[in-house]
Amino acid sequence: MAGAKHKIDTSFLTQLDRYALPLRNRVTAVHSGSHISTKKGSGLDLVDHRKYNPGDSLKKIDWNLYARTEKLYIRRFEEDKNLNMVILLDASSSMLFPDNSPNKFEYASTIALGVSYIVMRYNDQYMIATFADDVDYTESHKGREEFLRTIDNLSAISVNGKTKLADCAESIYSRIKSKSMVLIISDFLDNLDSIRHAVHRLSRHELVLVHLYEETEISLPETVDGTVSFIDSETNEEFNLSVGPEFKKEYASEYRKHMAELDKIAYDFKIPYFSININNRPIDAVLTIIGER
């Protein structure tokens, strides 16, 4: 899709202004932003809190805050301040599905920008790296002007190649210098060993998997019937199949099995996993990712 202009929805971004604090509790409060508390803990300045996740040390729970809110939060101290936001965005050929807009890449770019917008508002750093056969790196960004350039870059990027998540993780591993929050936004049409390897490689970070799909990828529409020509979007290989009710049933079963395996990988590594239909509003997807839905 070289030379094509992707249609990326930015109309909802200002609606995220009031949701900056929840994301800041999870992500950017660990940066050198404002609102640093004067409270002390373990000899360090307390910066902020984030929601408790299974596996977190019970010693870091703020029990006084629990007494007031009846919710579990972890204290974040000054030593945690060098956390960055890194978004790994799938730009392989399968992300150009469906033919109408928004396709998966446009939707993925939209929610990546939504998360980045919240980070940007507090003058914190974010990086969006696109990947397929190779990884296209950018420098970490700050500020509104850099954010506008990011929109332009994503709108013009070439989307092609195969999803190679394991190779992406190996390539980017050494480039993420400090503990970061890493969002992988993809359709995850890669083999499960590659996905598991990538998650394992990046699991030292605060990792989040965002799986995008379009409804007809799960359940083939009624119009797909009889002898049908299929084209692999990542290899351009064409093959003919006889499609009937039993085939559709088996196809749906295999796709859902793949989704269940993604969920299991996330469970095994104790990381968040979101499966999002691209027909949902982008703002709802962003609010789900940041814990507001």
Side-chain angles (χ1 to χ4, degrees):
M1 196 165 176
K5 191 79 171 178
H6 306 295
K7 297 177 182 178
I8 300 176
D9 181 14
T10 59
S11 61
F12 70 101
L13 293 179
T14 55
Q15 298 177 48
L16 296 171
D17 289 350
R18 57 187 168 142
Y19 295 103
L21 185 58
L23 184 63
R24 190 169 179 78
N25 285 341
R26 275 183 68 174
V27 185
T28 63
V30 296
H31 294 172
S32 54
S34 55
H35 311 301
I36 295 179
S37 170
T38 57
K39 295 179 181 178
K40 302 289 185 178
S42 304
L44 297 166
D45 287 333
L46 176 63
V47 178
D48 214 321
H49 296 81
R50 68 166 172 80
K51 291 180 181 178
Y52 172 82
N53 293 316
D56 286 332
S57 172
L58 296 179
K59 295 179 181 179
K60 291 187 176 182
I61 293 177
D62 190 329
W63 294 108
N64 290 329
L65 187 58
Y66 173 78
R68 297 198 303 272
T69 65
E70 296 187 354
K71 295 181 180 179
L72 293 175
Y73 289 92
I74 295 295
R75 294 186 295 260
R76 304 296 290 265
F77 295 102
E78 191 77 12
E79 65 178 354
D80 298 321
K81 280 175 56 177
N82 295 323
L83 198 63
N84 299 306
M85 167 64 73
V86 177
I87 299 176
L88 304 181
L89 183 61
D90 189 344
S92 62
S93 295
S94 64
M95 295 291 284
L96 293 175
F97 184 85
D99 291 334
N100 56 295
S101 187
N103 56 41
K104 286 184 288 186
F105 178 77
E106 291 169 337
Y107 191 89
S109 298
T110 297
I111 62 176
L113 288 170
V115 174
S116 300
Y117 176 83
I118 299 175
V119 176
M120 178 274 297
R121 287 192 66 253
Y122 279 83
N123 200 34
D124 288 306
Q125 291 188 344
Y126 67 92
M127 178 182 76
I128 299 178
T130 56
F131 70 91
D133 295 296
D134 300 303
V135 182
D136 183 13
Y137 301 101
T138 61
E139 298 296 326
S140 293
H141 298 300
K142 271 189 176 185
R144 189 169 295 274
E145 289 186 8
E146 290 285 349
F147 182 75
L148 294 175
R149 275 193 284 271
T150 299
I151 297 175
D152 289 339
N153 291 338
L154 288 177
S155 297
I157 196 170
S158 178
V159 178
N160 54 60
K162 297 180 67 176
T163 305
K164 295 184 177 179
L165 199 51
D167 292 348
C168 166
E170 288 295 336
S171 178
I172 204 166
Y173 179 82
S174 62
R175 290 177 175 258
I176 308 176
K177 301 300 183 182
S178 59
K179 187 175 181 182
S180 305
M181 182 169 190
V182 179
L183 267 66
I184 302 178
I185 305 177
S186 173
D187 57 10
F188 290 100
L189 294 181
D190 195 1
N191 72 72
L192 293 168
D193 287 340
S194 174
I195 296 169
R196 181 174 287 274
H197 177 89
V199 170
H200 172 72
R201 191 65 165 143
L202 298 173
S203 60
R204 73 183 182 96
H205 299 289
E206 198 169 335
L207 188 59
V208 178
L209 305 184
V210 181
H211 170 225
L212 301 183
Y213 68 93
E214 204 273 339
E215 189 61 40
T216 57
E217 290 184 294
I218 300 179
S219 301
L220 294 176
E222 292 183 4
T223 53
V224 179
D225 193 50
T227 301
V228 179
S229 178
F230 290 87
I231 298 176
D232 187 317
S233 61
E234 296 196 349
T235 65
N236 288 323
E237 180 183 358
E238 184 174 352
F239 47 94
N240 295 319
L241 292 172
S242 178
V243 177
E246 191 61 30
F247 177 91
K248 290 182 180 180
K249 182 179 179 181
E250 291 179 9
Y251 172 87
S253 175
E254 287 299 315
Y255 195 99
R256 293 184 187 280
K257 187 184 298 183
H258 185 76
M259 293 177 69
E261 287 298 324
L262 290 175
D263 194 19
K264 184 178 185 305
I265 290 172
Y267 177 83
D268 289 344
F269 285 91
K270 295 181 173 59
I271 60 174
Y273 165 72
F274 301 100
S275 186
I276 297 175
N277 188 328
I278 66 170
N279 292 318
N280 291 329
R281 296 190 311 163
I283 188 171
D284 292 332
V286 173
L287 294 181
T288 296
I289 292 166
I290 68 172
E292 285 298 308
R293 289 287 168 87

